[in-house]
Amino acid sequence: MRLRFLFIFWLLSDVLLLIASYAFAFDLYYNWTKTLNFTIYNSYSVLVSVVFMVVLWLGGAYKLTVNQYSSRVLATIAVANLVALAVFTVLAHQFALLQLLPLRLFLLNLFLATVVLWFWHMGFDVFQRILLRADPPVFPTLIIGATQQARTLI
């Protein structure tokens, strides 16, 4: 039960942090002066968050035993952000609901989302390890051999 709760919490928090970092990047760039475009921009960021989650899942960042402090996880988050921004660009410019968005806004989105989500993954790694090692521990135990100690453990 704890594993399922942790995984759902991790996914939802990643989605919310991605949307919040996109909104914060929009705020830093435009200072909330383009309110009409922000609703469309925010709805696109919600759609893009699904693509982001799929790329992170395929990259193996959501495995509970993966060390989230590694540069591999940082690279996976950066690649997922790049794919999400590519989908965002296609949505924004293909359907012509937004004017041409500047490249600096996309770079700000990329930087903020990558940094925020990587720090969140590192913090969540500590939280999940504390929670999963609580009594009773959830991590599976590999038993090799057929000794007396193994029989008593089973």
Side-chain angles (χ1 to χ4, degrees):
M1 188 66 178
R2 281 187 281 176
L3 286 173
R4 189 173 298 139
F5 168 73
L6 275 174
F7 188 68
I8 290 170
F9 178 70
W10 200 359
L11 287 176
L12 291 176
S13 62
D14 272 359
V15 166
L16 292 176
L17 281 174
L18 181 74
I19 294 169
S21 64
Y22 275 34
F24 188 64
F26 190 86
D27 177 40
L28 283 177
Y29 194 79
Y30 287 120
N31 294 324
W32 298 108
T33 56
K34 294 190 172 194
T35 56
L36 176 67
N37 284 347
F38 179 71
T39 56
I40 299 168
Y41 179 87
N42 203 22
S43 63
Y44 282 167
S45 66
V46 169
L47 293 173
V48 161
S49 66
V50 175
V51 174
F52 178 77
M53 294 298 124
V54 169
V55 173
L56 271 184
W57 178 69
L58 290 174
Y62 286 123
K63 294 179 183 172
L64 292 177
T65 57
V66 170
N67 184 11
Q68 299 294 325
Y69 292 91
S70 68
S71 60
R72 180 182 161 268
V73 172
L74 176 63
T76 304
I77 292 172
V79 167
N81 278 323
L82 282 172
V83 171
L85 278 176
V87 171
F88 188 89
T89 305
V90 168
L91 286 174
H93 297 301
Q94 192 68 18
F95 297 118
L97 294 175
L98 296 172
Q99 294 93 10
L100 289 174
L101 292 173
L103 178 63
R104 285 184 292 172
L105 179 61
F106 288 127
L107 293 176
L108 191 60
N109 279 340
L110 177 68
F111 177 74
L112 277 177
T114 302
V115 169
V116 165
L117 285 167
W118 190 43
F119 279 117
W120 167 244
H121 276 238
M122 288 189 295
F124 188 80
D125 189 39
V126 172
F127 171 71
Q128 79 173 352
R129 290 188 189 278
I130 289 171
L131 193 62
L132 290 176
R133 288 180 180 157
D135 193 37
V138 176
F139 288 114
T141 304
L142 176 64
I143 300 172
I144 299 174
T147 63
Q148 184 65 32
Q149 291 87 4
R151 285 192 187 121
T152 59
L153 187 62
I154 294 174

